[in-house]
Amino acid sequence: MSAFGPAASRLLLAFRRPPLPFNRPPLPPVPVRFHRHKPWQPRRILDPGGDVVLRWNRVFLISCLIALFIDPLYFYLLYIGGPICVQIDPFIRGSVTIFRTIADFFYLAHLILKFRIAFIAPSSRVFGRGELVTDPDQIAMRYLKGDFIIDLAATLPIPQILIWFVIPAVSSSTANHTNHTLSLIVLLQYIPRLFLIFPLNARIVKATGVLAKTAWTGAAYNLLLYMLASHVLGALWYLLSIERQYNCWITECGKENVANNTVKCISSFLDCSTVDLPERKTWLNTTLVRANCDATSGKTQFNFGIFADALSNDIVAGTFLDKYLYCLWWGLKNLSSYGQDLVTSTYVGETSFAILICIVGLVLFSHLIGNMQTYLQSITVRLEEWRVKRRDIEEWMRHRQLPPDLQERVQRFVQYKWLATRGVDEEAVLHSLPLDLRREIQRHLCLALVRRVPFFAQMDDQLLDAICERLVSSLSTKDTYIVREGDPVNEMLFIIRGNLESSTTNGGRSGFFNSITLRPGDFCGEELLTWALMPNPSVNLPSSTRTVRSLTEVEAFALRAEDLKFVANQFKRLHSKKLQHAFRFYSHQWRTWGACFIQAAWRRYKKRKLAKELATQESLYYMQAMDDQGLAGEHEGAPPIADGGGGSSVETDNGNINQHLGATVLAKKFAKNTKRGANDEKIHQRRPVDVEMPKLLKPQEPDFSLNDEDDI
């Protein structure tokens, strides 16, 4: 070892090694050792609040209800198949076994799935939901110590094993033994299956808040539970009826055996499998058991009590459909009346069964009525609130003695608001949600409708989202004045459905009236946009230049003044020239002003043109008159022709002088008329009052000069 120690030796060895080449291939990756997966541990752990578990819980709840319906069908296995004998119905045995086995697979799948469902640690439920435990070992230990025994007891196919394997293997089993064993096993397994319903309901309500999505579904679910209880009660009554008939036979057989008859009554004779034995035929010919246990006869001394109805109507020997429907009706009738019409005997089992009917009927019927009332009231609660509110409004209007036309308008508005919103306060619902979710909802509700407004179609998505976030719903009935001319404008209105009438008198000037119709996609209140786009807007809201009245029922979105001012200050893209041109093009005020300006200019042009044509026609007229006078003077003032030439020369000079004087006079008159026409034209230009349609004042234009990078 080196004198410098082991660390120094390793350092020297490192320096002695040859340098690694530059293009040396990289070293192979070091393998990472994972823990081997245990075969009994699941590979995927499910969230108890996830969609998969929630969907499975609903499916399993339905399967549990079906299983609870199938199990009481075992009570219909036994029936009286011959004279004084009981046997098992093979059709019911096979059918019920198949359906119950399918239901058992759902219980088995639920048992396996619960080993994969995580749970929330109880110690972490201090604030919020809590910490989710995903360790498979902890999940398994918690489940094994908790609900595993109950789930296993509900999953085991005990009735199938008992019917198909145990009872046929026991040679000494009789119909009475089969009846007792089967009823005991089914009832014992029915209890854990019924118990699973309650925590399953609690988990669904905890995850989703409600068990049924609609009120009608909840009412139907509670009614189904009540019908299921009636089904179980009727099946149990049928089974006890056969049991009571069998006890009567056993009692009469004991009496005959005590009387030392020639042929003794054996308990195996009461099973229909021995109906062909000679000794049973001999006993059947001599016994009085059949006559003494006949419920239809009034001579029997055996008191069948509440089971006499099933025996006297021969339900125990009828078809499956007949006895099932009759037993269901019996259970439903006595469960609803708490067993008040039942006349029982002194038999302990019968009186105990009657007491059970009374208690269960009272509890279940009260539970059904309470839940049904709750669910049905939840359907009509908003309708009832609206009805009470409408009644209060009508009483207030009568108390204040409002005129009938105002009362009718108020009632029409209340009715229209109910039809549009169904009594839901949309603003309260939206304000209770997070900001991001509220934006998405507003975008879904308003964006497509806002894009129908041509002025908004020029904006980008970010600006539209900001506007959609601040839009509120606005409803107006027919003949409602949204705003009057001269009133302050506090909101812009974007029409979704209905028509509005927008009219103006240009500040109340006499002889001026302009009216247009606003349809879906139009907007009003653009004075507010002008006010919001000012660099330093005043506190006072702008005055309306038009009167807006609803022609039909109108649904619209309103953008309030403070919201529009906020959007205009936050988004400078609202100042672009592209929006300026769109605003001018789609603004009805600008359209009206442009139409009036064009009409006034056209009328001035037509008047100038008419004056010019009249002046031209007048000048032509004077020129023609001057020519006519010159020709007439030549013909009338011409002297006779003389032989001498001196006189004729003087007269010709005088005629030329007169002709020039007449032309000069006509030229002065023409110039004077022309000047007068020009002066009249200037006067008309200075005085717009002479135009038939008065000139409308130009609307105030928004300030679009704040953005230096305007896209033209």
Side-chain angles (χ1 to χ4, degrees), residues 503-687:
S503 60
T504 180
T505 59
N506 197 17
R509 292 167 54 184
S510 60
F512 183 90
F513 181 78
N514 174 261
S515 176
I516 55 176
T517 301
L518 303 180
R519 294 178 173 83
D522 295 334
F523 60 94
C524 61
E526 55 263 33
E527 301 92 349
L528 199 62
L529 182 61
T530 305
W531 170 82
L533 291 179
M534 290 181 181
N536 295 314
S538 60
V539 179
N540 298 328
L541 294 174
S543 299
S544 176
T545 59
R546 308 185 71 87
T547 298
V548 181
R549 182 177 64 92
S550 58
L551 299 177
T552 60
E553 282 77 11
V554 176
E555 295 183 26
F557 283 121
L559 186 60
R560 295 167 181 168
E562 57 274 11
D563 297 330
L564 182 59
K565 183 178 178 182
F566 174 80
V567 173
N569 293 334
Q570 293 294 324
F571 296 92
K572 299 302 181 182
R573 289 186 300 277
L574 198 60
H575 300 272
S576 64
K577 288 186 178 180
K578 187 177 181 180
L579 290 181
Q580 174 188 6
H581 299 322
F583 173 77
R584 287 180 177 179
F585 183 78
Y586 294 109
S587 173
H588 288 281
Q589 290 190 19
W590 279 84
R591 288 185 177 184
T592 304
W593 174 81
C596 293
F597 184 82
I598 292 173
Q599 288 183 14
W602 174 255
R603 291 175 184 270
R604 289 195 300 270
Y605 167 74
K606 293 292 290 183
K607 193 164 187 178
R608 287 198 304 268
K609 185 177 179 181
L610 180 60
K612 187 175 181 180
E613 290 179 354
L614 290 176
T616 304
Q617 292 178 4
E618 187 177 4
S619 63
L620 293 176
Y621 172 76
Y622 282 119
M623 290 294 293
Q624 185 178 3
M626 183 181 63
D627 293 340
D628 293 341
Q629 288 179 3
L631 293 175
E634 291 179 359
H635 289 287
E636 293 176 359
I641 299 174
D643 297 335
S648 63
S649 174
V650 175
E651 292 177 1
T652 304
D653 293 337
N654 292 332
N656 291 334
I657 291 171
N658 293 331
Q659 183 177 3
H660 287 299
L661 288 175
T664 303
V665 172
L666 291 175
K668 287 182 178 181
K669 290 183 179 181
F670 175 73
K672 185 177 180 181
N673 292 333
T674 305
K675 186 176 180 180
R676 185 176 59 185
N679 291 334
D680 292 341
E681 183 179 354
K682 291 181 180 180
I683 291 173
H684 283 296
Q685 289 180 354
R686 289 196 303 267
R687 293 189 303 167

Side-chain angles (χ1 to χ4, degrees), residues 96 114 125 189 276 308 334 381 488 502 531 630 691 696 703:
V96 174
K114 292 189 74 172
R125 294 178 179 175
Q189 199 174 20
D276 295 332
N334 290 281
V381 60
S502 178
W531 170 82
V691 184
L696 185 65
D703 186 5

Side-chain angles (χ1 to χ4, degrees), residues 377-605:
Q377 280 182 352
S378 65
I379 298 175
T380 59
V381 60
R382 297 212 176 268
L383 184 61
E384 184 65 21
E385 291 177 358
W386 172 75
R387 189 185 64 82
V388 172
K389 183 178 179 180
R390 184 175 180 178
R391 184 190 61 190
D392 295 341
I393 293 174
E394 291 177 354
E395 291 180 356
W396 172 79
M397 290 189 298
R398 286 195 297 268
H399 176 68
R400 295 300 180 185
Q401 297 181 0
L402 294 182
D405 56 339
L406 286 181
Q407 293 187 18
E408 183 182 358
R409 290 179 60 185
V410 171
Q411 293 174 358
R412 190 164 65 241
F413 175 77
V414 173
Q415 177 72 19
Y416 181 61
K417 188 175 181 180
W418 164 258
L419 294 176
T421 62
R422 289 294 175 183
V424 179
D425 190 357
E426 297 179 353
E427 294 188 17
V429 173
L430 289 176
H431 281 287
S432 63
L433 299 175
L435 179 60
D436 182 66
L437 188 57
R438 187 164 66 238
R439 285 177 179 173
E440 293 294 331
I441 294 175
Q442 288 287 90
R443 180 182 177 88
H444 171 73
L445 294 176
C446 306
L447 186 60
L449 298 175
V450 167
R451 285 188 184 276
R452 291 168 49 186
V453 180
F455 177 66
F456 283 160
Q458 308 293 331
M459 302 180 182
D460 57 0
D461 291 340
Q462 188 177 7
L463 188 55
L464 288 179
D465 288 340
I467 293 176
C468 288
E469 184 181 352
R470 289 161 177 82
L471 289 178
V472 294
S473 178
S474 177
L475 302 175
S476 302
T477 55
K478 185 180 178 181
D479 297 330
T480 300
Y481 283 89
I482 309 298
V483 64
R484 297 178 185 269
E485 188 174 357
D487 292 345
V489 183
N490 56 4
E491 63 183 11
M492 286 186 70
L493 208 63
F494 303 94
I495 305 173
I496 304 304
R497 297 180 184 88
N499 297 324
L500 294 176
E501 181 191 26
S502 178
S503 60
T504 180
T505 59
N506 197 17
R509 292 167 54 184
S510 60
F512 183 90
F513 181 78
N514 174 261
S515 176
I516 55 176
T517 301
L518 303 180
R519 294 178 173 83
D522 295 334
F523 60 94
C524 61
E526 55 263 33
E527 301 92 349
L528 199 62
L529 182 61
T530 305
W531 170 82
L533 291 179
M534 290 181 181
N536 295 314
S538 60
V539 179
N540 298 328
L541 294 174
S543 299
S544 176
T545 59
R546 308 185 71 87
T547 298
V548 181
R549 182 177 64 92
S550 58
L551 299 177
T552 60
E553 282 77 11
V554 176
E555 295 183 26
F557 283 121
L559 186 60
R560 295 167 181 168
E562 57 274 11
D563 297 330
L564 182 59
K565 183 178 178 182
F566 174 80
V567 173
N569 293 334
Q570 293 294 324
F571 296 92
K572 299 302 181 182
R573 289 186 300 277
L574 198 60
H575 300 272
S576 64
K577 288 186 178 180
K578 187 177 181 180
L579 290 181
Q580 174 188 6
H581 299 322
F583 173 77
R584 287 180 177 179
F585 183 78
Y586 294 109
S587 173
H588 288 281
Q589 290 190 19
W590 279 84
R591 288 185 177 184
T592 304
W593 174 81
C596 293
F597 184 82
I598 292 173
Q599 288 183 14
W602 174 255
R603 291 175 184 270
R604 289 195 300 270
Y605 167 74

